[in-house]
Amino acid sequence: MRTSDCDILFVPGYQNSGPDHWQSRWQQRLSTARRVEMPDWEQPMLTEWTEALVSAVHIATKPVVLVAHSLGSLCVVHAAPALGKQVVGAVLVCPPSEGSLLDIASIDLRFARVPRAPLPFKSVLVASSNDPYCPLIEAEEWAAAWGADILNAGESGHINTDSGHGPWPEGLMSFAGFMGKL
């Protein structure tokens, strides 16, 4: 599938993705991309976030591909049963572990009850072997439960600006490969 054949929805995590984050850079480069705007980036509430995602998917005019990072990845997994057949694929980058979510008081604890059901669309989970927010073994277990392919990005931290991933060209190449399989 070509990017022009779908609506690409970026789903950032806690506190949004700043202008130097790879999600923001990719969004600028992809003509059919837009960001799912959450009601509150600083105090994420599961119901509000999943409703915002479901709404964004339902107003899309083409098949939807989701590109999520961190807490945004968990939002996708929680919302999956309500997204319908319009979502054809999802790239889930560095979802945080349940334990790491419990350390952030401003995040709704319901995010930490991560569903283990298979996702109803093709997906890939991109994980790092030294992500401070999620051990690789937990990411691998989630990928297996969700029916997602796993892509080990090596020692890449949380794959965000703090870990040196502004443009993240390797990720963009992997995204292109994923799109080619849809």
Side-chain angles (χ1 to χ4, degrees):
M1 175 177 284
R2 296 178 307 174
T3 58
S4 60
D5 296 332
C6 63
D7 285 329
I8 300 168
L9 299 182
F10 284 92
V11 188
Y14 175 58
Q15 297 180 329
N16 203 349
S17 294
D20 293 329
H21 193 282
W22 61 267
Q23 280 188 311
S24 299
R25 291 173 182 235
W26 292 12
Q27 183 181 345
Q28 290 176 349
R29 292 182 64 181
L30 300 167
S31 63
T32 62
R34 64 183 163 56
R35 182 174 305 233
V36 176
E37 290 297 330
M38 298 302 177
D40 189 340
W41 293 107
E42 301 299 319
Q43 295 190 327
M45 299 302 293
L46 180 61
T47 302
E48 292 176 358
W49 275 41
T50 56
E51 286 174 356
L53 177 56
V54 169
S55 177
V57 166
H58 288 170
I59 64 171
T61 58
K62 299 177 184 177
V64 172
V65 175
L66 303 170
V67 181
H69 180 254
S70 196
L71 192 63
S73 297
L74 295 185
C75 178
V76 168
V77 173
H78 279 282
L83 293 176
K85 299 210 180 286
Q86 197 164 356
V87 174
V88 296
V91 177
L92 309 169
V93 180
C94 292
S97 71
E98 293 168 327
S100 70
L101 293 175
L102 300 177
D103 293 336
I104 305 172
S106 59
I107 295 177
D108 183 350
L109 292 178
R110 292 177 297 162
F111 274 104
R113 291 186 218 123
V114 179
R116 302 297 201 276
L119 296 174
F121 39 78
K122 185 163 183 54
S123 58
V124 61
L125 190 158
V126 182
S128 165
S129 61
N130 66 341
D131 185 345
Y133 299 105
C134 186
L136 182 59
I137 187 94
E138 191 167 347
E140 291 170 337
E141 290 169 1
W142 283 348
W146 299 336
D149 294 334
I150 184 85
L151 177 62
N152 184 338
E155 293 186 359
S156 298
H158 195 52
I159 308 182
N160 58 7
T161 309
D162 290 344
S163 64
H165 294 85
W168 193 33
E170 304 87 354
L172 193 55
M173 288 176 23
S174 294
F175 176 67
F178 178 75
M179 291 296 296
K181 295 176 185 176
L182 295 179

